[in-house]
Amino acid sequence: MRRREWLHEYNTSGKAPIQKRVAVIGGGNSAVDAARTALRLGAESVSIFYRRMRREMPAQRDEIKAALDEGIAIVELVAPQRIKMKNGKVSGISIVQMKLEDFDRSGRKQPVVIEDQSARKKSIW
């Protein structure tokens, strides 16, 4: 389920489906909010996957710090390549490693995929 839909469900009903392990993709305020909410709802482990460095996440600094203090992992310089499914549920995520190159229009360094195939073949989470 997409994080905004999931957060909307939680905010309107006070409930939302939760699994033991939760992966959140992105670095904005809604990503951090979804991760922290999942932890509070009983997820055993929560990881945020972000394609840039933590210092470049657009989420508010105090929210990022609070997420880290609560035990949420932030995995930097990765982008999802494939979501693995088993019996209708997510069973894993294949990622590609990223590196930062030239600055883009936003003033941040542009993330690009590391072309070394050995670095790309990672299955995590």
Side-chain angles (χ1 to χ4, degrees):
M1 178 179 284
R2 295 192 178 273
R3 68 177 172 253
R4 287 185 183 173
E5 296 164 351
W6 185 81
L7 282 171
H8 177 74
E9 183 174 335
Y10 174 73
N11 287 326
T12 56
S13 71
K15 296 185 243 174
I18 195 70
Q19 300 296 319
K20 289 181 181 181
R21 295 187 319 158
V22 174
V24 178
I25 299 166
N29 288 320
S30 66
V32 175
D33 192 25
R36 294 181 72 199
T37 300
L39 197 63
R40 290 183 191 125
L41 287 175
E44 292 175 8
S45 75
V46 180
S47 299
I48 295 173
F49 297 93
Y50 187 56
R51 63 190 184 135
R52 290 185 165 107
M53 301 293 288
R54 183 175 73 216
R55 67 179 175 264
E56 296 173 291
M57 290 173 67
Q60 295 176 358
R61 298 292 120 210
D62 58 333
E63 292 292 322
I64 295 169
K65 182 182 180 321
L68 291 167
D69 289 347
E70 290 175 25
I72 294 169
I74 298 177
V75 184
E76 304 170 323
L77 294 172
V78 295
Q81 182 179 37
R82 194 180 99 182
I83 306 295
K84 298 177 181 181
M85 303 295 288
K86 185 175 182 178
N87 298 325
K89 293 185 178 184
V90 174
S91 62
I93 301 172
S94 292
I95 57 135
V96 290
Q97 295 290 306
M98 308 294 283
K99 64 181 177 178
L100 299 176
E101 287 197 346
D102 296 330
F103 291 94
D104 63 14
R105 290 185 207 156
S106 71
R108 298 184 295 173
K109 288 193 172 190
Q110 181 69 31
V112 295
V113 174
I114 295 174
E115 293 302 326
D116 176 6
Q117 291 298 309
S118 64
R120 293 180 63 167
K121 295 182 179 180
K122 290 202 175 196
S123 186
I124 59 172
W125 187 81

